[in-house]
Amino acid sequence: ASRIVEWQDRSYTLGVFVQANFGKRRNFTIRGRHVGPELAEPAIREGTPRAEKGSIIAAVATDAPFLPHQMKRLARRVPLGIALTGGYGYHSSGDIFLAFSTANPEAALAASGRVARAEFIPDVDIDPFFDAVVQGVEEAILNALVANEDMTGRDGNFVPALPKAWLKDNFG
């Protein structure tokens, strides 16, 4: 999922990619509506007990110029988007979030013996990018769920896909 963020008459793209294998169905939320209890059937079947229950990996990419501490701040907004979908970060969840910028490529190639320069957006102007991260994470997770199909795994473990007809009826 991606967002365009306007700043100082320039447009920047912020994209989010997620590997979403996390959460409990009972907590699932779509656009602020707690829908998990409505999705009880078909039931998830777990034939193999597992110590770990899931994980999420998210990568945030942008062409906006930010400094390393600002990129960390963007990555720290990922859990807010996860929470919007009902992910609470339970004990056994393995979560990895990273953020990077493609801006300022010449800074890494600066000649020896010279001061290198890099542009960056001031900290006081970062809020619209925080919004883009949170919204992008939520959308990326929902996109992954919509694209999924029923899955049967080892020992008869079964996870049903998000029902497309139910989604259309409830969210158009």
Side-chain angles (χ1 to χ4, degrees):
S2 64
R3 296 289 183 275
I4 302 296
V5 180
E6 303 291 334
W7 185 78
Q8 295 290 329
D9 300 324
R10 292 178 70 181
S11 296
Y12 295 102
T13 302
L14 186 140
V16 178
F17 176 79
V18 298
Q19 172 276 321
N21 178 29
F22 72 98
K24 300 209 179 278
R25 183 190 277 188
R26 69 175 183 259
N27 299 335
F28 185 44
T29 302
I30 299 176
R31 291 202 244 155
R33 182 173 148 200
H34 184 215
V35 298
E38 297 175 43
L39 298 172
E41 297 296 330
I44 292 174
R45 288 190 311 270
E46 294 186 75
T48 307
R50 300 182 297 164
E52 76 285 345
K53 292 295 181 185
S55 62
I56 184 164
I57 299 170
V60 177
T62 185
D63 59 353
F66 287 118
L67 297 173
H69 79 278
Q70 294 171 310
M71 297 310 301
K72 284 182 184 180
R73 293 180 72 201
L74 290 175
R76 287 183 181 136
R77 289 342 188 247
V78 169
L80 298 172
I82 295 169
L84 289 176
T85 66
Y88 299 154
Y90 288 124
H91 166 66
S92 63
S93 184
D95 308 330
I96 301 170
F97 313 130
L98 62 94
F100 65 91
S101 173
T102 59
N104 295 310
E106 62 285 346
L109 304 174
S112 177
R114 296 175 144 202
V115 173
R117 301 197 188 289
E119 292 184 331
F120 65 94
I121 294 172
D123 285 342
V124 297
D125 293 331
I126 201 170
D127 286 349
F129 294 91
F130 289 163
D131 292 347
V133 171
V134 174
Q135 294 167 9
V137 168
E138 179 188 27
E139 181 182 337
I141 290 167
L142 295 175
N143 287 346
L145 291 172
V146 168
N148 276 347
E149 298 179 10
D150 289 351
M151 185 180 80
T152 302
R154 190 181 103 218
D155 298 330
N157 293 311
F158 172 74
V159 179
L162 197 55
K164 310 292 189 285
W166 175 87
L167 266 176
K168 187 174 182 181
D169 291 345
N170 286 276
F171 296 96

